[in-house]
Amino acid sequence: MITLDLLLSKPDLHTNTIFVLRHPDDLPAGLVNTEEAGYIRRSLEDKNTTTVEINRYDYVWYFVFPADVAGESLQLEKARKTGDILVKEISRLKVPEITVYNHSADAEWCMALAEGMTLGGYQFLKYKTDRDEKLIRLNTIKIWSEGLNNRQIMMKNRLNEAVYMCRDFVNEPVINLSATQLAEGISELLSTTGIKTEIFNKKKIESLKMGGLLAVNRGSSEPPTFTVLEWKPENAVNENPVILVGKGVTFDTGGMNIKTGSFMDHMKTDMTGAATMASVIYAAAATRLPVYVIALLPATDNRINSDAVVSGDVIEMHSGKTVEILNTDAEGRLILADALSYAQNYNPMLVITAATLTGSAARAIGRFGIVAMQAKASEQMQLLKECGEDVYERIAEFPFWDEYAELIKSDIADLKNVGPLEGGAITAGKFLEAFTNYPFIHLDIAGTSYAEKRDSYRNQGATGTGVRLLFSFLAKVAGKA
Ligand code: BES
Ligand code: ZN
Ligand code: ZN
């Protein structure tokens, strides 16, 4: 990973450096010659650009001028995007480090620039045989800026690690990521953080009567897992935990209602919710956030064999409620529902789900935001929305009216697992709500989890969207942001 390193004394500037300046009039005295100064000014006027490169042969200087866009959220997003452009430029130099020298801009803007560089510099090269040639050599960004301290830099490094971790899991194909491999992989990565990890195997899941998870798993030759992660620091601000529940469908074929055409292409990403929640709790523990957090990660693939569930089957859930399965492709809500009723044991202050739950959410707002719903958690939702603006992982809150719950009542069981086509993201949320008795926020990340084409620092493939959002939320709950 590309890590950030805070410089405590002014660095030697005659090396590869990114200068961040409010205005060309601010150019440090004596740094550039008149010709270069003229070039910088002309470039800024001519090309509608905010970045100017000066190549001095032994080293390269980049001059970056934060654009004058309205609003802090957009300013910071522009910084991240500029970071992404710069990291691509710098990777051509094949140098291991670069200095960011903040001459006259906001420290926060520089941090966002560096964040965009690190996240834009993510690569998933595991399966490329020419990975050595493709590998970006840059591994350190040295920052010199007033108004930054080591703790902020450490927090950003840990958070960036968490985003990398999430992307790595999501990009991994199911051939190397069964439910067991996912659970064990997470447990291994968290082993140094002080997080308590417990992986329930199929026998334990059966003894807990998690009928939803077991029903989805029936068509699979791989056993399911249910992972419980706990970060409980002594100085936690909350007595009752915040619980993060993540959908861990390691591959979604659709089951008997099989996905046709290209709809199955990216379904290795259907465990993004689980990867997101594991990464968020990792970041919380690695930065020692004083907040009590639990993550619950039900996991299985959704496949077909002669034992697979079919339409019309009625199952009994962990909560005791019965569900008529009318579409085997609506499997995520079945495994999440068991985790949500299990969460009741902890008397949580808030439960948040993250799930690639419905195509309906993605169709409604595309890839530009996360679809969210809440019950008994309007204040927390407000806070989450603010975090969404800060980190530019924005939230669109959907209505969550009682009428939608009417649409998933079954003729022969308590609930059915699908409603009508219209409002599909909301009826899925209502299904989940039926298994809760606490403040609840549901995030449908189907639209944001994966970028078909490269989307700036969000990269191509797994984006890790949701990790920065929820970390920022937990940091606010902990009073550390
Ligand atoms: N994993 C899918 C949702 C999905 C679709 C995620 C596209 C990412 C991209 C989910 O399990 C699913 O298949 N949902 C169905 C529900 C329907 C059968 C009610 C859907 O959205 O079509
Ligand atoms: Zn499905
Ligand atoms: Zn799914």
Side-chain angles (χ1 to χ4, degrees):
M1 193 187 80
I2 305 170
T3 49
L4 315 186
D5 193 2
L6 187 64
L7 293 172
L8 298 173
S9 56
K10 278 202 185 188
D12 168 21
L13 298 176
H14 295 273
T15 177
N16 298 303
T17 302
I18 300 168
F19 293 89
V20 188
L21 311 157
R22 221 178 265 283
H23 193 270
D25 291 346
D26 292 351
L27 279 168
L31 184 74
V32 293
N33 58 39
T34 353
E35 207 179 308
E36 287 168 331
Y39 172 70
I40 292 172
R41 280 177 193 282
R42 277 196 309 281
S43 304
L44 289 175
E45 281 160 17
D46 295 351
K47 288 191 269 166
N48 186 28
T49 182
T50 52
T51 311
V52 184
E53 180 181 324
I54 289 189
N55 194 330
R56 286 202 163 180
Y57 303 105
D58 287 343
Y59 51 88
V60 181
W61 280 344
Y62 301 89
F63 293 85
V64 179
F65 301 85
D68 216 5
V69 282
E72 205 184 330
S73 165
L74 286 175
Q75 296 250 2
L76 294 179
E77 180 64 357
K78 182 85 186 174
R80 293 181 200 102
K81 288 185 167 172
T82 305
D84 175 63
I85 292 166
L86 282 170
V87 81
K88 273 186 280 179
E89 294 288 328
I90 292 159
S91 66
R92 285 194 284 130
L93 307 177
K94 302 231 176 272
V95 293
E97 57 181 58
I98 186 116
T99 302
V100 172
Y101 182 88
N102 182 17
H103 182 64
S104 56
D106 278 349
E108 213 186 341
W109 200 93
C110 289
M111 284 293 271
L113 180 86
E115 180 174 59
M117 288 175 71
T118 299
L119 298 182
Y122 169 88
Q123 295 177 294
F124 187 72
L125 296 174
K126 190 173 169 187
Y127 297 103
K128 292 276 190 193
T129 51
D130 60 350
R131 54 187 166 272
D132 279 350
E133 287 126 73
K134 287 206 162 75
L135 186 72
I136 293 179
R137 304 284 154 184
L138 185 68
N139 58 42
T140 310
I141 302 170
K142 297 189 165 175
I143 301 192
W144 192 88
S145 173
E146 273 168 22
L148 289 182
N149 62 42
N150 273 321
R151 176 159 173 90
Q152 286 166 301
I153 299 282
M154 179 279 282
M155 295 214 5
K156 192 62 91 188
N157 281 330
R158 298 291 89 78
L159 178 58
N160 286 338
E161 275 164 18
V163 176
Y164 271 48
M165 167 180 163
C166 178
R167 288 178 181 175
D168 279 347
F169 276 119
V170 175
N171 283 326
E172 189 66 54
V174 66
I175 195 166
N176 285 322
L177 199 69
S178 63
T180 307
Q181 285 167 314
L182 175 66
E184 286 177 353
I186 288 171
S187 148
E188 201 183 308
L189 279 175
L190 301 191
S191 61
T192 56
T193 56
I195 290 171
K196 208 176 99 195
T197 307
E198 209 179 341
I199 302 172
F200 298 168
N201 62 15
K202 186 170 179 184
K203 231 168 135 193
K204 172 88 180 181
I205 292 166
E206 280 167 348
S207 75
L208 289 168
K209 299 193 167 126
M210 292 186 163
L213 180 55
L214 290 165
V216 176
N217 183 252
R218 276 180 59 150
S220 174
S221 49
E222 285 288 338
T225 57
F226 187 95
T227 302
V228 183
L229 308 171
E230 186 178 65
W231 168 242
K232 191 176 187 182
E234 271 174 18
N235 58 348
V237 295
N238 52 332
E239 213 166 291
N240 303 68
V242 174
I243 301 189
L244 308 173
V245 177
K247 171 177 173 180
V249 171
T250 56
F251 194 87
D252 185 8
T253 67
M256 287 297 187
N257 292 97
I258 196 158
K259 288 185 185 290
T260 55
S262 60
F263 287 113
M264 212 188 287
D265 286 1
H266 303 304
M267 283 302 138
K268 69 172 184 185
T269 66
D270 215 17
M271 32 56 71
T272 301
T276 303
M277 295 321 205
S279 304
V280 171
I281 202 169
Y282 165 81
T287 58
R288 296 284 176 269
L289 279 190
V291 54
Y292 176 20
V293 192
I294 287 173
L296 303 177
L297 316 174
T300 175
D301 48 352
N302 182 25
R303 292 204 197 217
I304 312 177
N305 62 23
S306 63
D307 245 355
V309 284
V310 292
S311 263
D313 276 349
V314 173
I315 60 171
E316 189 180 324
M317 307 291 283
H318 170 261
S319 75
K321 282 201 163 100
T322 55
V323 174
E324 182 185 13
I325 292 176
L326 287 174
N327 192 322
T328 61
D329 200 7
E331 83 297 339
R333 64 198 75 182
L334 298 175
I335 74 169
L336 291 169
D338 282 346
L340 290 171
S341 55
Y342 187 79
Q344 295 186 19
N345 295 333
Y346 296 97
N347 194 19
M349 67 173 261
L350 172 69
V351 176
I352 305 177
T353 48
T356 47
L357 203 60
T358 66
S360 169
R363 279 191 296 276
I365 67 164
R367 61 188 170 83
F368 303 114
I370 294 173
V371 165
M373 292 143 238
Q374 59 83 18
K376 301 187 218 161
S378 55
E379 264 176 45
Q380 288 107 322
M381 178 66 98
Q382 196 46 44
L383 186 62
L384 196 64
K385 282 180 185 169
E386 285 166 27
C387 296
E389 297 297 327
D390 290 348
V391 304
Y392 220 72
E393 297 186 347
R394 291 163 299 175
I395 284 178
E397 186 177 356
F398 276 23
F400 214 35
W401 300 315
D402 290 342
E403 284 81 353
Y404 291 102
E406 298 296 315
L407 304 175
I408 47 168
K409 284 192 171 155
S410 159
D411 294 333
I412 65 164
D414 299 333
L415 293 162
K416 55 184 178 184
N417 77 331
V418 273
L421 212 54
E422 300 80 16
I426 305 175
T427 44
K430 278 287 166 192
F431 184 92
L432 300 181
E433 189 198 5
F435 297 87
T436 68
N437 66 353
Y438 37 67
F440 174 53
I441 291 180
H442 164 53
L443 304 177
D444 194 327
I445 54 174
T448 54
S449 97
Y450 186 85
E452 194 97 36
K453 283 190 294 206
R454 197 168 201 286
D455 180 12
S456 181
Y457 66 91
R458 290 184 191 82
N459 229 288
Q460 190 277 324
T463 63
T465 305
V467 177
R468 293 191 303 119
L469 171 75
L470 291 170
F471 178 73
S472 153
F473 178 79
L474 291 180
K476 284 210 168 132
V477 171
K480 292 276 169 183

